Amino acid sequence: MKFEAPVALQRTPAPPDALGRVLTDLRISLIDRCNFRCPYCMPEEAYPADHAFLRARDRLDFGEIERIARVFVSLGVRKLRLTGGEPLLRRDLPELVSRLAAIDDVEDLALTTNGVLLPRFAQALREAGLDRLTISLDSADPEIFRKMSGGRGELAEVDAAIAAAEDAGFGTLKINCVVMRGVNDAGVLDLVERFRGTGHVVRFIEYMDVGTVNGWRHDRVVPGRELVERIGARWPLEALPRSASSTSRRWRLCDGSGEVGFINSVTEPFCGGCTRARLSADGKLYTCLFAHAGHDLRALLRAGESDAALGATVAGIWSHRGDRYSERRAELRAAGVLEHVEMYRIGG
Ligand code: SAM
Ligand code: SF4
Ligand code: SF4
């Protein structure tokens, strides 16, 4: 499908934020609904079938998402990631992907998904210009996987998703696994084993205190360092260099069979290199995963604000950004600062 490119915006990078961090990434949540109920994100008790999710008219439409993306790119963003909720629940997604892929200066267009609907869409997404895929998979054990999807997912569906992504030509995939002590941590070696020699990279993510309803407890967090030791005892590991803005600590298996990553957001926070902005499906801009409020860009768009004015607003918001929740977690939690936006509203 062809789209007429809007008039090019002037490219003026946003000023660095209050801690000197430059805006380079935008995560776009496309929908707040999900076909899973992972206990660490959208526990079933808090999100029953009659939960009031956003109505279609409350969500940004594709034209609005594209406009906002263009404004962010004009301010220096080079990486876009589509997420949710479950982004594949958004109808006609390949159309949006092709519109975003057509924006000059977007160097990386990626998507994070639980994979269930991927066999239906992988080929179309690839053809539309999607560069990379991350697929979430918390366990290689069918029972534990089912439990961690809130009783909604089957391991075979994720296997089919991975095969579909490979067939569509996505090459190296990132496989995200949230590790919870006593729930799925005993299966970490099995996950590494499953992806050794495939070229895909499993990334173990520390269970985070996102949102307000996941019942987070510090003793459920398995420090990434502990996992490096456990995995290294079976397959010796060698640390790979880390870029300043990377969230993941990378290690290669010394036998050459692959690489694993660790996102140690709780025990080794990386706020100093956090260059990401986040947009919710209803058009709110969040400057941190743990923010309690967002800035309403949809209201500005729907009030007829120009792209230049929108860009100036976003640049102003970014320049005042001082977020570093993960570095201040203990202090802020002790002070009772527990009001965070839910993860499924702004993506991971
Ligand atoms: N539904 C898609 C999926 O699960 O891949 C995309 C949205 S999901 C919010 C994005 C990522 O956030 C997933 O990889 C998920 O595992 C991760 N995530 C959700 N809640 C988390 C938590 N409490 N701690 C750490 N990671 C979390
Ligand atoms: Fe859905 Fe993803 Fe959250 Fe699981 S992590 S409930 S798949 S949005
Ligand atoms: Fe970025 Fe906020 Fe996470 Fe720190 S806590 S890395 S500022 S999103």
Side-chain angles (χ1 to χ4, degrees):
M1 213 174 297
K2 265 227 160 292
F3 297 95
E4 232 169 88
V7 181
L9 275 166
Q10 212 176 341
R11 280 163 158 46
T12 313
D17 73 9
L19 300 175
R21 298 167 296 190
V22 176
L23 173 62
T24 59
D25 297 39
L26 178 65
R27 299 205 154 205
I28 305 174
S29 172
L30 298 179
I31 190 161
D32 59 346
R33 292 168 191 266
C34 190
N35 42 1
F36 278 12
R37 287 292 181 276
C38 308
Y40 50 76
C41 178
M42 290 179 83
E44 183 83 56
E45 319 79 78
Y47 299 98
D50 61 350
H51 181 79
F53 289 104
L54 292 173
R55 294 161 302 181
R57 66 172 175 278
D58 297 327
R59 296 195 293 254
L60 297 177
D61 65 26
F62 287 176
E64 291 170 328
I65 293 171
E66 183 190 344
R67 256 191 85 190
I68 292 181
R70 284 184 183 277
V71 165
F72 273 85
V73 170
S74 77
L75 295 172
V77 161
R78 294 293 173 265
K79 292 184 180 184
L80 299 177
R81 177 171 293 275
L82 305 178
T83 176
E86 175 45 47
L88 297 183
L89 289 175
R90 188 74 193 245
R91 198 176 302 159
D92 299 325
L93 183 56
E95 178 191 328
L96 176 67
V97 167
S98 65
R99 292 169 78 147
L100 298 178
I103 301 176
D104 284 346
D105 291 339
V106 171
E107 291 165 7
D108 187 33
L109 178 57
L111 177 133
T112 306
T113 173
N114 62 30
V116 170
L117 297 170
L118 201 55
R120 246 188 268 172
F121 297 115
Q123 194 65 43
L125 290 170
R126 185 71 184 164
E127 282 165 13
L130 188 68
D131 294 314
R132 292 189 304 120
L133 268 175
T134 298
I135 298 177
S136 298
L137 174 61
D138 295 327
S139 178
D141 176 293
E143 276 307 312
I144 296 174
F145 176 77
R146 197 174 298 127
K147 183 173 169 195
M148 287 201 73
S149 68
R152 304 283 182 102
E154 294 298 328
L155 188 57
E157 296 175 309
V158 186
D159 285 341
I162 292 169
E166 288 169 344
D167 289 348
F170 277 102
T172 296
L173 303 172
K174 285 182 184 164
I175 307 290
N176 275 2
C177 168
V178 176
V179 184
M180 293 176 76
R181 194 181 296 284
V183 183
N184 66 336
D185 63 319
V188 158
L189 294 184
D190 292 342
L191 264 184
V192 177
E193 174 70 48
R194 187 180 183 99
F195 289 101
R196 280 172 70 232
T198 62
H200 306 320
V201 178
V202 184
R203 302 175 339 143
F204 295 103
I205 306 176
E206 288 180 350
Y207 169 41
M208 289 187 280
D209 50 337
V210 288
T212 54
V213 294
N214 73 356
W216 187 80
R217 285 175 16 202
H218 208 297
D219 60 1
R220 280 270 157 99
V221 178
V222 183
R225 250 169 304 134
E226 183 182 320
L227 295 180
V228 168
E229 275 173 33
R230 281 202 227 165
I231 297 167
R234 171 89 170 269
W235 297 285
L237 296 173
E238 178 188 36
L240 290 168
R242 185 180 178 202
S243 73
S245 65
S246 167
T247 56
S248 170
R249 290 176 182 269
R250 299 164 54 216
W251 295 74
R252 73 178 275 279
L253 277 66
C254 296
D255 64 6
S257 63
E259 182 184 319
V260 280
F262 300 86
I263 303 182
N264 304 340
S265 20
V266 177
T267 63
E268 298 176 75
F270 34 77
C271 300
C274 183
T275 54
R276 290 178 182 167
R278 295 178 152 88
L279 184 68
S280 64
D282 60 349
K284 297 221 170 60
L285 167 62
Y286 291 87
T287 54
C288 177
L289 192 49
F290 297 90
H292 63 90
H295 304 266
D296 193 351
L297 300 187
R298 185 190 67 187
L300 299 178
L301 278 184
R302 293 187 182 175
E305 198 80 292
S306 70
D307 287 353
L310 201 60
T313 301
V314 171
I317 292 168
W318 186 265
S319 70
H320 288 102
R321 172 184 189 246
D323 304 279
R324 52 185 198 90
Y325 174 84
S326 286
E327 290 178 350
R328 301 181 61 206
R329 175 175 280 105
E331 163 204 346
L332 291 173
R333 287 185 72 86
V337 181
L338 301 171
E339 277 294 305
H340 310 142
V341 59
E342 301 300 329
M343 183 90 151
Y344 73 92
R345 296 200 56 230
I346 57 170

